[in-house]
Amino acid sequence: MQMARPITGSRAGDVVLALLILATIIALAPRLRVYFSVTMVDVSLERVMSDGTREALATPVEFKQVGDGYWPGDAVVSKLRPKIDAYMSSSTLATTAPAGTKFDWTIRWSEDSLKLDHTEHVIWEGR
Amino acid sequence: MTAVATLDRSLPALDASGIERFLFEPINPRSAAIFRVALAIILPYAFRSRGTIVFPPAAWVPHAMWWYHHVFLTRGYAAAIIVACTIFGLGIYPRVMGLILFAMLLPLGSLSRGRQSRQVWLLSLFAFSLVRSDAAWSVRRARRASRSACGFADEAARPEPRPPAHQLNAGPIWPIRLIQIQLCIVYATNAIAKATPHYLSGATLIAMSKMRSNFLIDMSDGYAHLGPIAMPAMIAAVGSVITESYLAVGFWFRKLRWITAAIGVAFHIMLQSVVQIFMLDITSMFLYSAFLLPWSVKSDAAPASSRSIARS
């Protein structure tokens, strides 16, 4: 069979060019992974009265499916803390609460597991 | 044993001449033209970028935002891409236009949607730009045919002049091989990434169905409810890994290509009912044509010019 004329003018040049493109394809291959990993995050909120009584509050909508499963586990708290601060600053929860009331935000998360095996608390005090 | 024999017949022998054929076999110009036109039609759709935001690595570049908001994400730029695709599709300097198109589309590969599919499109376009795809069904060929018809109107019997030998094909096949390899890498990378105990147990799928807003089914009860079928999440997870592993290698068996393509299409259609995917599924299915089109020159009827040479 007659072979085609090389693109670069020489077969060695073509092979080098092909290998360079192949190397790029392989080097960028990890970026093509989809839906193979997820970070589960669960946020719950409790009001803690001055006598220690705890009352569960409904989790605000913006804290459901937080991060859409994409946040890396070690960044969950650092990403959530500013959101919690912003929420508490703008809502009437803290300002209308009796003196001594605290708000306990519980952040539980896990990577690629249904067991939410990491927990962190963010405490907000009423004003 | 049968599979090995099939693969042996599908791939050229791994000696010097086999590798030479694998890389430098001439491309069928009609298949190259079909792929070029199809690519030109789908690229503007695949790179639609309305409502997207800039993501890294482009977002890390100083002043990148200005360029995106004033150039790359404007309607004028989208129109320019359509014009470039049209010129490319018509086969007007397809190698140059392909590379220009690659440069134009490159900034759109770093947006909030379709990063994976756009990476595949960009590398495929770059590889295909090296193919001399204007050897058939192009403005250049049409002009040559009309000049030939005008020049010899009074000498109808005179045979068409023989084009240079290298113009009877679309160049060596190795850029198409790269596109084929890339398709396999898409599936292989995903199959490998999912071959973990967490994923295979079904836990990752269940967690994704709870966490990801683009998941269309809830597997909280441990089952994937697909119409009347309730499939255990573990079976769904193992099935998807097996299917992607098969799709990564199946296309290299010549006799299994159409069956592999049918399995791939069925797999992607089934996935559509589980999760909303932006473009990677369509991209993968488009690239099946890199295996299914008859790339070999001898598999196509010889072009008119070569038929006349054969007669003479």
Side-chain angles (χ1 to χ4, degrees):
Chain A
M1 179 194 290
Q2 193 180 355
M3 294 296 135
R5 199 169 72 164
I7 293 166
T8 60
S10 77
R11 288 201 175 177
D14 272 26
V15 170
V16 169
L17 184 56
L19 287 175
L20 281 175
I21 299 172
L22 182 62
T24 309
I25 289 172
I26 292 169
L28 294 176
R31 283 167 47 108
L32 297 172
R33 294 172 301 169
V34 285
Y35 304 112
F36 67 100
S37 159
V38 65
T39 303
M40 272 197 87
V41 183
D42 179 71
V43 180
S44 59
L45 174 60
E46 280 183 322
R47 181 166 29 213
V48 185
M49 308 304 282
S50 53
D51 61 356
T53 314
R54 288 179 166 263
E55 179 193 359
L57 301 176
T59 305
V61 177
E62 55 262 53
F63 291 95
K64 288 180 177 165
Q65 289 188 315
V66 70
D68 215 25
Y70 289 102
W71 285 355
D74 54 2
V76 167
V77 175
S78 61
K79 282 174 180 279
L80 265 177
R81 203 179 282 273
K83 279 174 75 82
I84 291 171
D85 288 347
Y87 179 83
M88 293 304 285
S89 302
S90 62
S91 81
T92 54
L93 264 182
T95 51
T96 57
T101 305
K102 292 176 183 173
F103 294 90
D104 182 1
W105 291 80
T106 306
I107 305 166
R108 296 184 305 146
W109 77 95
S110 64
E111 284 180 287
D112 293 321
S113 167
L114 295 171
K115 294 173 191 162
L116 298 164
D117 46 7
H118 296 80
T119 306
E120 182 88 17
H121 290 272
V122 177
I123 308 291
W124 250 80
E125 296 201 13
R127 279 169 270 174
Chain B
M1 187 68 187
T2 311
V4 172
T6 311
L7 186 59
D8 279 348
R9 283 193 295 275
S10 303
L11 289 175
L14 285 176
D15 54 13
S17 69
I19 291 170
E20 188 180 310
R21 258 202 328 277
F22 185 72
L23 296 175
F24 292 100
E25 184 183 349
I27 297 178
N28 183 322
R30 285 184 197 170
S31 295
I34 291 168
F35 198 87
R36 185 195 72 224
V37 172
L39 206 51
I41 291 169
I42 203 163
L43 281 177
Y45 176 70
F47 280 81
R48 67 196 191 281
S49 300
R50 214 171 162 192
T52 55
I53 55 169
V54 186
F55 254 54
W60 296 329
V61 178
H63 310 299
M65 291 300 171
W66 187 93
W67 283 95
Y68 275 90
H69 291 135
H70 292 88
V71 182
F72 302 135
L73 295 178
T74 61
R75 286 185 179 175
Y77 197 74
I81 287 170
I82 292 171
V83 170
C85 282
T86 306
I87 297 170
F88 177 70
L90 290 171
I92 301 170
Y93 300 109
R95 282 177 164 173
V96 176
M97 277 316 300
L99 294 174
I100 291 172
L101 204 47
F102 171 80
M104 289 175 78
L105 296 174
L106 189 60
L108 303 182
S110 189
L111 298 174
S112 53
R113 279 193 308 178
R115 274 167 292 158
Q116 289 86 6
S117 62
R118 288 175 186 198
Q119 177 180 318
V120 176
W121 286 118
L122 283 166
L123 288 166
S124 300
L125 174 64
F126 187 84
F128 189 75
S129 297
L130 303 172
V131 173
R132 204 168 48 76
S133 62
D134 58 348
W137 295 355
S138 66
V139 169
R140 183 173 66 84
R141 290 293 296 179
R143 272 194 198 148
R144 173 173 290 173
S146 67
R147 266 207 306 269
S148 165
C150 293
F152 299 111
D154 53 340
E155 322 168 44
R158 185 166 170 175
E160 195 178 320
R162 179 178 184 156
H166 67 269
Q167 286 185 12
L168 293 176
N169 62 66
I173 200 165
W174 64 261
I176 304 299
R177 299 285 184 224
L178 289 173
I179 296 171
Q180 293 173 336
I181 290 169
Q182 176 161 249
L183 174 64
C184 297
I185 283 178
V186 170
Y187 286 123
T189 308
N190 277 287
I192 292 166
K194 290 171 185 168
T196 61
H198 288 305
Y199 190 92
L200 294 172
S201 71
T204 305
L205 271 184
I206 295 168
M208 280 194 284
S209 78
K210 286 180 178 178
M211 289 302 300
R212 300 245 165 117
S213 53
N214 62 337
F215 263 67
L216 305 172
I217 58 171
D218 185 0
M219 301 188 206
S220 300
D221 61 353
Y223 287 86
H225 298 274
L226 302 165
I229 304 164
M231 187 190 295
M234 190 186 82
I235 302 289
V238 172
S240 74
V241 172
I242 290 172
T243 308
E244 287 188 303
S245 304
Y246 171 72
L247 292 172
V249 295
F251 282 105
W252 294 103
F253 297 89
R254 196 180 294 276
K255 283 187 177 173
L256 297 178
R257 273 182 192 165
W258 284 98
I259 295 169
T260 306
I263 290 171
V265 170
F267 174 65
H268 287 295
I269 288 173
M270 192 269 295
L271 273 186
Q272 292 279 355
S273 60
V274 176
V275 58
Q276 268 184 331
I277 297 170
F278 179 64
M279 199 70 201
L280 192 59
D281 50 350
I282 294 171
T283 308
S284 303
M285 286 189 279
F286 179 94
L287 293 186
Y288 292 177
S289 59
F291 281 100
L292 300 178
L293 281 169
W295 292 107
S296 174
V297 170
K298 64 186 173 186
S299 65
D300 186 29
S305 51
S306 54
R307 277 200 298 269
S308 63
I309 296 161
R311 278 199 300 270
S312 62

